[in-house]
Amino acid sequence: MLVTLTTDFGASGRYVAQLKGVLYSRAPGVTVVDLSHGIAPQDIAAAARLLEAAATYWPAWTVHLAVVDPGVGTDRAIVAIEALGQRFVGPDNGLFGWLVGRVEGCVALSRERLALAGDSSTFHGRDLMAPAVAMLLKGSPLSELGTPHPALRTLPDGVAPQVDSEQIEGHIVEIDRYGNLITDIYQRLLGDAPRDERLRVLIGEHETYGLWRTYGEHPPQTLFALVGSDGFVEVALVNGSAAEMLLARVGDTVRLDWRDREV
Amino acid sequence: MLVTLTTDFGASGRYVAQLKGVLYSRAPGVTVVDLSHGIAPQDIAAAARLLEAAATYWPAWTVHLAVVDPGVGTDRAIVAIEALGQRFVGPDNGLFGWLVGRVEGCVALSRERLALAGDSSTFHGRDLMAPAVAMLLKGSPLSELGTPHPALRTLPDGVAPQVDSEQIEGHIVEIDRYGNLITDIYQRLLGDAPRDERLRVLIGEHETYGLWRTYGEHPPQTLFALVGSDGFVEVALVNGSAAEMLLARVGDTVRLDWRDREV
Amino acid sequence: MLVTLTTDFGASGRYVAQLKGVLYSRAPGVTVVDLSHGIAPQDIAAAARLLEAAATYWPAWTVHLAVVDPGVGTDRAIVAIEALGQRFVGPDNGLFGWLVGRVEGCVALSRERLALAGDSSTFHGRDLMAPAVAMLLKGSPLSELGTPHPALRTLPDGVAPQVDSEQIEGHIVEIDRYGNLITDIYQRLLGDAPRDERLRVLIGEHETYGLWRTYGEHPPQTLFALVGSDGFVEVALVNGSAAEMLLARVGDTVRLDWRDREV
């Protein structure tokens, strides 16, 4: 029985310590593994990217619990999902938008069925989501946890990459220590797009063609794009810093298109 | 078999790596879970608060090992405690003062019985406490680990909250990212105190009345107090920063009283 | 089945999350424990010191996976080692140089035998090392993983301590919060060297004699050297900061010698 945790609870440790206590109490024998508690406060998109990159590497039926929840106290649903042979629990606020179209089952957790003591709690991760995770681990089907939840929320355009028929518009979300530009465009979004030089990659007024799998085989100071080993499109400069060359910053737009082009 | 760890060992990792190695070696099959290794150096009070907030969420008989030990090398006792259905191991320096009055058993570890190789060690967490934890996990009663230890040390007043018959004086110990003022007054200290408007909360020259359970249901810019979801009294400002409004800082006094007041 | 992880993957979490997913998938029932993911980027020597300090405290046959790999993409070997009753997997770039002379078996991993899908991967930790770890955990002998690898690389002199017949030259690698100077000279390197006042410790133009086991029993403001509780030689000042007194910095040379000296 495996559970992963992804939260923005950060450093103090009290919230994570309580959450884990409940999981170990309600699901004896469970193994709880931290994916990250260092998600920036309320950065739903960053948590979604981490889950997207990691989930399918985990054993079948692992439960991924994600608590990045700026809407606590509002009426946003808390959901349990079956998708990709994995299970997910967390608020329906865009965290799981990348699963849309691949969901095998999804329910909104019912406070009544999960036997919460009233409505007073301000820590749904501990008092509602963790008990739901424990029920899943003990074999409860989704239908015991709540009622069908037909449509997951996606991240708004401008936050999530926007995918059109022959174009994807994403963003730089991280600049690594080598000056490589990491985008939020996960390889799955590429679909049938060509990987060769018919694909154009635009960063501001700069462009490069094709997606590569490794950092090798380009002359020094060449700008090129690749699918990084964690599955996201990156832009790099051979023996240099793409960030410095392009004066690029986190948040800048990166566009891939493959319209009207021949090789 | 569950063990939690709370230390001020910080980033380098060598001390934690050795400590865990000893636990896994001496108690095969154990699950070791980090509560925090980021306690500020020698901040006994912060470690005590973390344990107070988290311990009772863990399964019965979990062993909580805490190593924040500025007195290493002095003759402070190292203790093993049964309380609240949990077990605790660490130096008797105030870490466990919040358990006073609720202790079911407590011994000072005996170096002789734990078969330490001489007095030379400067790392009691690894060489004395971890072996004691392993013995507890294997079923040893407290009496095999040492000799009765009648009185646990408490944190000094001015560090720990001071509880009188109709007053509690605590401190701001953390200001969160919303400007909420987190105090060291755990809900248990409130005892029979009224939670309604007979209870006055003073922060410097400001005051508010009553303790609430959630952030909702107050007009904007209202100052109010609540019991946070991790169990500590907090002071918050609706749609604003209590820290900015009150010019409050970590260390400032927060007083609760319920004398001479009618509603 | 225990696996420890030591990497320079740092904060984002995606790489560690994928790596752990593969370990839990390929070796069901494994327990994976983080030693550190905060090794400074490409600081092979720091990772080697952590492993040297910690490995032998772990249960027999623990697998220590270390991924600090600036040579990814070059033809450096990836090795699996049996030594000290433990097992180690990682790139052969100096990480394991401190094992030289104590190796019971060592192979270079064979990509063919580990059934990698082509050469395209840029994340050998996930795609080559983790599968090798899983095979070891399931009982595969080293010979199934690759071909004999006769000689491990050591860290270059100037990075690793240099050991001569009556002298060891190392470096300050860390200054702790008390101003103690932590060196990279692990106690094992001392061999038959005297621990008493025949041993001279030189830091710049300052010197002290003998190695002690504790911080006690010296007059205030005395400079002295000791073997710290994590096994490395340290230089300390009683009731003061050795770093301030000596104007010492990380990287400075510390020399131990025991030539031509009588007591």
Side-chain angles (χ1 to χ4, degrees):
Chain A
M1 295 196 299
L2 277 165
V3 175
T4 78
L5 300 183
T6 302
T7 80
D8 60 354
F9 292 159
S12 92
R14 290 192 301 272
Y15 293 102
V16 177
Q18 293 181 342
L19 184 59
K20 287 187 181 173
V22 172
L23 288 168
Y24 283 109
S25 294
R26 298 216 176 192
V30 70
T31 296
V32 182
V33 182
D34 301 315
L35 292 197
S36 177
H37 300 294
I39 299 291
Q42 313 199 348
D43 190 345
I44 297 168
R49 284 195 302 274
L50 175 56
L51 289 167
E52 185 171 17
T56 56
Y57 286 97
W58 285 76
W61 278 153
T62 296
V63 181
H64 303 281
L65 172 55
V67 194
V68 179
D69 194 12
V72 65
T74 71
D75 63 353
R76 56 91 187 82
I78 297 171
V79 291
I81 303 167
E82 294 179 2
L84 309 177
Q86 310 278 316
R87 295 179 290 185
F88 303 85
V89 172
D92 177 25
N93 57 18
L95 269 176
F96 306 118
W98 54 281
L99 289 171
V100 167
R102 299 186 288 169
V103 171
E104 296 142 33
C106 179
V107 297
L109 299 188
S110 158
R111 293 183 187 203
E112 292 71 29
R113 297 192 202 177
L114 289 161
L116 263 197
D119 254 7
S120 63
S121 167
T122 56
F123 189 3
H124 288 159
R126 178 190 67 203
D127 299 329
L128 184 56
M129 299 181 215
V133 169
M135 286 182 66
L136 288 175
L137 293 172
K138 289 181 188 168
S140 294
L142 287 185
S143 58
E144 275 185 30
L145 275 65
T147 52
H149 186 75
L152 286 172
R153 285 194 201 174
T154 54
L155 294 169
D157 289 340
V159 175
Q162 190 167 352
V163 182
D164 295 323
S165 63
E166 293 185 315
Q167 177 176 302
I168 301 173
E169 196 170 288
H171 317 85
I172 299 171
V173 292
E174 186 185 326
I175 295 178
D176 74 13
R177 60 184 191 253
Y178 306 107
N180 299 323
L181 314 175
I182 320 296
T183 78
D184 54 0
I185 302 173
Y186 195 63
Q187 54 191 357
R188 188 182 64 88
L189 299 181
L190 296 168
D192 295 328
R195 303 308 205 262
D196 60 20
E197 296 185 0
R198 285 172 293 177
L199 182 95
R200 183 170 64 160
V201 181
L202 285 104
I203 317 98
E205 304 192 342
H206 298 265
E207 58 186 30
T208 175
Y209 291 85
L211 285 174
W212 307 82
R213 279 289 300 173
T214 68
Y215 285 85
E217 302 185 45
H218 300 276
Q221 301 303 316
T222 308
L223 190 73
F224 70 105
L226 73 161
V227 176
S229 53
D230 61 352
F232 290 92
V233 171
E234 304 179 13
V235 177
L237 184 71
V238 180
N239 294 346
S241 163
E244 279 183 22
M245 176 184 165
L246 305 183
L247 300 175
R249 297 187 185 188
V250 168
D252 286 357
T253 297
V254 175
R255 200 168 80 215
L256 276 57
D257 67 50
W258 50 99
R259 278 181 280 206
D260 304 326
R261 195 146 30 249
E262 299 185 0
V263 179
Chain B
M1 295 196 302
L2 278 165
V3 176
T4 78
L5 301 182
T6 301
T7 80
D8 61 353
F9 292 159
S12 93
R14 291 193 299 273
Y15 293 101
V16 177
Q18 293 180 343
L19 184 59
K20 287 187 181 173
V22 171
L23 288 169
Y24 283 108
S25 293
R26 298 216 177 193
V30 70
T31 296
V32 182
V33 182
D34 301 314
L35 292 198
S36 177
H37 300 295
I39 300 291
Q42 313 200 348
D43 190 345
I44 297 168
R49 283 195 303 274
L50 176 57
L51 289 167
E52 186 171 18
T56 56
Y57 286 96
W58 285 76
W61 277 155
T62 296
V63 181
H64 302 282
L65 172 56
V67 194
V68 179
D69 194 12
V72 66
T74 71
D75 64 354
R76 56 91 187 83
I78 298 171
V79 293
I81 303 167
E82 293 179 2
L84 309 177
Q86 308 279 315
R87 296 179 289 186
F88 302 85
V89 173
D92 177 24
N93 58 16
L95 268 177
F96 305 118
W98 54 282
L99 289 171
V100 168
R102 299 186 289 168
V103 170
E104 296 142 32
C106 179
V107 297
L109 299 188
S110 158
R111 294 183 188 203
E112 292 72 28
R113 296 192 203 178
L114 289 160
L116 263 198
D119 254 7
S120 63
S121 167
T122 56
F123 189 3
H124 288 158
R126 178 190 66 202
D127 298 330
L128 184 55
M129 300 180 217
V133 169
M135 287 182 67
L136 288 175
L137 292 172
K138 288 183 190 168
S140 293
L142 287 185
S143 58
E144 274 184 30
L145 275 63
T147 52
H149 186 74
L152 285 173
R153 286 195 200 173
T154 54
L155 294 170
D157 289 339
V159 175
Q162 190 166 350
V163 182
D164 295 325
S165 63
E166 295 185 314
Q167 176 176 303
I168 301 172
E169 195 170 288
H171 317 85
I172 299 172
V173 293
E174 186 184 325
I175 295 178
D176 74 13
R177 62 183 190 253
Y178 305 107
N180 299 323
L181 313 176
I182 320 295
T183 77
D184 54 358
I185 302 174
Y186 194 63
Q187 54 191 357
R188 187 181 64 86
L189 299 180
L190 297 168
D192 294 329
R195 303 306 205 264
D196 61 19
E197 296 187 359
R198 286 172 292 177
L199 182 96
R200 182 170 64 159
V201 180
L202 286 104
I203 317 99
E205 305 192 341
H206 298 265
E207 59 186 29
T208 176
Y209 292 85
L211 285 176
W212 306 83
R213 278 291 297 174
T214 68
Y215 284 86
E217 300 183 49
H218 301 276
Q221 301 303 316
T222 308
L223 190 73
F224 70 106
L226 74 161
V227 176
S229 53
D230 60 351
F232 290 93
V233 172
E234 304 180 14
V235 178
L237 184 71
V238 179
N239 293 346
S241 163
E244 280 182 23
M245 175 184 166
L246 306 182
L247 300 174
R249 297 187 186 186
V250 168
D252 286 357
T253 297
V254 174
R255 201 168 79 215
L256 277 57
D257 66 50
W258 51 99
R259 277 180 282 207
D260 304 326
R261 196 153 22 253
E262 299 184 359
V263 179
Chain C
M1 296 195 299
L2 278 165
V3 176
T4 79
L5 300 183
T6 302
T7 80
D8 61 354
F9 292 157
S12 92
R14 291 192 300 273
Y15 293 102
V16 177
Q18 294 180 341
L19 183 59
K20 287 187 181 173
V22 172
L23 289 168
Y24 282 108
S25 294
R26 298 217 176 192
V30 69
T31 297
V32 182
V33 183
D34 300 316
L35 292 197
S36 177
H37 300 294
I39 300 290
Q42 313 199 349
D43 190 345
I44 297 168
R49 285 195 302 274
L50 176 56
L51 289 167
E52 185 172 18
T56 56
Y57 286 96
W58 284 75
W61 276 155
T62 297
V63 181
H64 303 282
L65 171 56
V67 193
V68 180
D69 194 12
V72 65
T74 71
D75 63 353
R76 55 92 188 82
I78 298 171
V79 292
I81 304 167
E82 294 179 2
L84 310 176
Q86 310 278 317
R87 295 178 288 185
F88 303 85
V89 173
D92 178 25
N93 57 17
L95 269 177
F96 305 118
W98 53 281
L99 289 172
V100 167
R102 300 185 288 169
V103 171
E104 295 143 34
C106 179
V107 297
L109 299 188
S110 158
R111 295 182 186 202
E112 292 72 27
R113 295 192 204 179
L114 290 160
L116 263 197
D119 253 6
S120 63
S121 167
T122 57
F123 189 2
H124 288 158
R126 179 190 66 202
D127 298 329
L128 184 56
M129 300 181 216
V133 169
M135 287 182 67
L136 289 174
L137 293 172
K138 289 183 189 167
S140 293
L142 287 186
S143 58
E144 274 184 30
L145 275 65
T147 52
H149 187 74
L152 286 172
R153 285 194 201 173
T154 54
L155 294 169
D157 289 340
V159 175
Q162 189 166 353
V163 183
D164 295 325
S165 62
E166 294 185 313
Q167 176 176 303
I168 301 173
E169 196 170 288
H171 316 86
I172 299 170
V173 292
E174 187 186 324
I175 295 177
D176 73 14
R177 61 184 191 252
Y178 305 107
N180 298 324
L181 314 175
I182 320 296
T183 77
D184 55 358
I185 302 173
Y186 195 63
Q187 54 192 356
R188 188 182 63 87
L189 299 181
L190 297 168
D192 294 329
R195 303 306 206 262
D196 61 18
E197 296 185 1
R198 285 172 294 178
L199 182 97
R200 182 169 65 159
V201 180
L202 285 104
I203 318 98
E205 303 193 343
H206 298 265
E207 59 186 30
T208 176
Y209 291 86
L211 285 176
W212 308 83
R213 278 291 297 175
T214 68
Y215 284 85
E217 301 185 47
H218 301 276
Q221 302 303 315
T222 308
L223 190 73
F224 70 105
L226 73 160
V227 176
S229 53
D230 61 350
F232 290 92
V233 172
E234 302 179 15
V235 177
L237 184 71
V238 180
N239 294 346
S241 164
E244 280 181 23
M245 176 184 165
L246 306 183
L247 300 175
R249 298 186 185 187
V250 168
D252 287 358
T253 297
V254 174
R255 201 170 78 216
L256 278 58
D257 67 51
W258 52 98
R259 277 180 283 208
D260 303 326
R261 195 149 27 250
E262 298 186 359
V263 180

